[in-house]
């Protein structure tokens, strides 16, 4: 078993433990009921997405300064994993909103800015997909990734800057009972581990793809190889 497979199994095991904590340790919210349990993964996924986009930011800056292929690969890996976690955030948010707000979607400041964040980095990936590989495409994508990160603080502070129906930062405001807070912190840690493992595996894939002649597909055995 390769180190990537071991890391993936460990990350999955942690997420299963987080799921057990969410459903069997955390108490049921007396106002929202069972649906409130979405909160733990919803918020944790958003934080993981911010972390992934920070990886894109750092990778882009390093690439523009040194033009090292490793920095570009790190940025590419962070972008695709970040888009995955942003998608989870949006889907979980809509599932939570329907029973609480009566609708899957409203053009709330937090929801809208999160959707914009998804569009920015989905566009980043589209640029990488359609552009011819090379220095010019990498530099352009780095610029998109760097400036795109400006939307992350907009998303985070949107509930403070504008009138919004989205809940405020309840963790910072100490609005969670101890068991809920412990469950959230544990779920967030597990989700961040999962995100880091996904970025690492994606970086391995990007490395193998860069080494392949154009048009060849990377075999799955190569991805799991310990070398």
């Amino acid at each position: 078993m390769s180190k990537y497979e071991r890391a993936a199994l460990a990350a999955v095991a942690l997420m299963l433990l987080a799921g057990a904590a969410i459903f069997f340790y955390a108490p049921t919210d007396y106002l929202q009921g069972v649906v409130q349990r979405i909160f733990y993964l919803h918020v944790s996924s958003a934080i993981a997405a911010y972390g992934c986009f920070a990886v894109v930011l750092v990778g882009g800056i390093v690439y523009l300064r040194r033009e090292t292929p490793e920095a570009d690969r790190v940025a590419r890996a962070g972008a695709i994993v970040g888009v995955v976690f942003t998608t989870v955030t949006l889907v979980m948010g809509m599932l939570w909103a329907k029973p609480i707000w009566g609708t899957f979607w409203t053009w709330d400041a937090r929801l809208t800015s999160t959707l914009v964040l998804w569009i920015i980095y989905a566009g980043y990936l589209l640029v990488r997909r359609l552009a011819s590989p090379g220095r010019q495409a990498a530099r352009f994508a780095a610029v998109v990734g760097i400036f795109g990160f400006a939307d992350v603080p907009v998303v985070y502070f949107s509930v403070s800057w504008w009138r919004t129906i989205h809940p405020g930062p309840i963790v910072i405001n100490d609005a969670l009972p101890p068991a809920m807070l412990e469950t959230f912190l544990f779920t967030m840690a597990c989700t961040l581990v999962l995100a880091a493992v996904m970025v690492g595996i994606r970086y391995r894939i990007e490395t193998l793809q860069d080494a392949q002649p154009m048009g060849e597909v990377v075999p799955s055995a190569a991805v799991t190889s310990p070398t």
Side-chain angles (χ1 to χ4, degrees), residues 121-132:
Y121 286 95
Y124 173 98
L125 295 175
L126 186 62
V127 168
R128 304 310 304 259
R129 182 78 174 179
L130 297 180
S132 299

Side-chain angles (χ1 to χ4, degrees), residues 73 205-214 216 218:
R73 292 184 199 124
I205 293 172
E206 295 291 342
T207 302
L208 293 172
Q209 287 181 338
D210 285 350
Q212 292 291 319
M214 291 295 293
E216 287 194 17
V218 176

Side-chain angles (χ1 to χ4, degrees), residues 8 10 29 42 56 62 72 74 80 94 98 101 104 122 136 140 146 152-153 158 162 164 176 184 191 204 226:
D29 187 81
H42 171 66
V56 180
V62 173
D72 184 46
V74 166
I80 193 166
M94 289 189 291
K98 179 60 176 177
W101 296 344
F104 285 111
Q136 184 175 359
F140 180 72
I146 291 169
V152 170
S158 58
W162 297 288
T164 171
L176 290 177
F184 166 70
T191 306
R204 168 69 173 169

Side-chain angles (χ1 to χ4, degrees), residues 143 157 160 167 192 194:
V143 172
F157 291 109
S160 302
L192 290 173
L194 176 62

Side-chain angles (χ1 to χ4, degrees), residues 5 39 49 56 59 75 91 102 105 160 181 183 187 207 224:
E5 291 171 322
F39 154 80
V56 180
V91 171
W105 184 266
S160 302
L181 179 60
T183 301
T187 302
T207 302
T224 58

